[in-house]
Amino acid sequence: MTKNQKKFLFEKISEQFPDHAIIAEEGSRKDARGGYLWHVDPLDGTNNFAHGLPFFCISLGIYSIEARRVVAGVVYNPYLNEMFTASRCKGSYLNGDRIEVSSLDDIGICLIGTGFPYNKENIETNNTREFERFLPRIQGIRRMGSAALDLCCVACGRLDGYWEGRLNSWDTSAGSLIVEEAGGTVSRYDGGRFDPEFPQIVASNGKIHSQMIDVLQKK
């Protein structure tokens, strides 16, 4: 199914935007010189889909090479019929209704999302150390299995924050913009500017962002 979805998306994007480049999961790529790069994940949350868990999605993020930032994003959960959309400076929406991040400012009463990489053996990179640092400092942690949808949950206030490493650009491009346009903050673990090509993301409602960075920077 994923290969057919990927082929379909590549073909449709190329038909409508022949001068746009495309990159997708497993390194599939179409090069072009039009100034925009689509980050495509035809199925984010593959394990959820395989087990019948209704938390998976299609994610499309458009990155402007000139502006060096994501300028449009769409994340669609077909099972729940929820479509999250955002355009730079035009807000974020869920099925056409404007969404906003939560207003909590104390990390101790916040619900935070995260994820773990497929390669779980290396303690330096498998997120368990970060998990152990967050756990006693927050109200609860959720690991739901789709980075794109986790980010959308931050954008609409279902989660107050989210962090994860070892991700790819097609996992985070669309969702990062949806968080920002909903009033949230997105960065690397050290608080630096988020880059879809850099495998770290911290997303929050903005009010707890510095608290999340502090936790991640503790050794």
Side-chain angles (χ1 to χ4, degrees):
M1 180 175 179
T2 304
K3 289 182 179 179
N4 290 336
Q5 285 178 309
K6 187 190 302 181
K7 183 174 182 291
F8 174 82
L9 291 168
F10 264 68
E11 289 177 351
K12 291 300 180 181
I13 294 168
S14 296
E15 286 175 9
Q16 296 294 318
F17 306 98
D19 59 343
H20 289 192
I22 308 170
I23 186 169
E25 61 171 356
E26 299 173 356
S28 302
R29 188 175 188 115
K30 173 206 160 189
D31 293 318
R33 300 181 180 179
Y36 292 95
L37 174 61
W38 289 65
H39 296 273
V40 175
D41 195 340
L43 182 56
D44 185 39
T46 306
N47 284 331
N48 287 348
F49 176 80
H51 286 81
L53 293 173
F55 202 76
F56 53 86
C57 67
I58 301 163
S59 179
L60 306 172
I62 307 175
Y63 182 85
S64 168
I65 295 170
E66 180 180 3
R68 296 176 60 201
R69 62 199 321 189
V70 182
V71 294
V74 177
V75 174
Y76 179 56
N77 181 336
Y79 192 95
L80 299 178
N81 192 30
E82 290 189 336
M83 181 174 288
F84 296 86
T85 59
S87 298
R88 180 69 62 182
C89 301
K90 294 184 179 179
S92 292
Y93 298 83
L94 168 55
N95 292 345
D97 295 325
R98 191 75 177 257
I99 56 175
E100 294 181 349
V101 295
S102 69
S103 59
L104 296 180
D105 59 6
D106 178 0
I107 197 172
I109 57 172
C110 286
L111 190 62
I112 307 295
T114 191
F116 299 93
Y118 284 107
N119 180 6
K120 301 180 288 291
E121 291 76 18
N122 187 347
I123 195 171
E124 298 295 330
T125 58
N126 67 6
N127 200 28
T128 54
R129 288 181 175 175
E130 292 85 351
F131 183 92
E132 290 172 355
R133 290 201 293 268
F134 268 106
L135 190 59
R137 294 177 170 87
I138 62 177
Q139 186 178 64
I141 289 180
R142 298 294 180 267
R143 197 284 196 201
M144 296 188 285
S146 167
L149 285 176
D150 283 339
L151 290 166
C152 290
C153 285
V154 175
C156 68
R158 295 171 183 169
L159 293 173
D160 305 297
Y162 167 78
W163 92 92
E164 189 170 353
R166 316 299 292 181
L167 293 171
N168 296 294
S169 62
W170 49 83
D171 298 314
T172 58
S173 291
S176 66
L177 178 65
I178 293 168
V179 171
E180 289 180 331
E181 288 297 313
T185 301
V186 181
S187 75
R188 302 181 184 189
Y189 284 9
D190 63 1
R193 179 176 173 173
F194 171 72
D195 180 348
E197 300 289 350
F198 191 82
Q200 287 180 353
I201 188 167
V202 187
S204 77
N205 62 9
K207 298 180 182 297
I208 63 165
H209 205 80
S210 63
Q211 297 171 64
M212 292 187 69
I213 297 299
D214 286 345
V215 173
L216 287 165
Q217 292 301 298
K218 290 184 184 297
K219 301 298 183 183

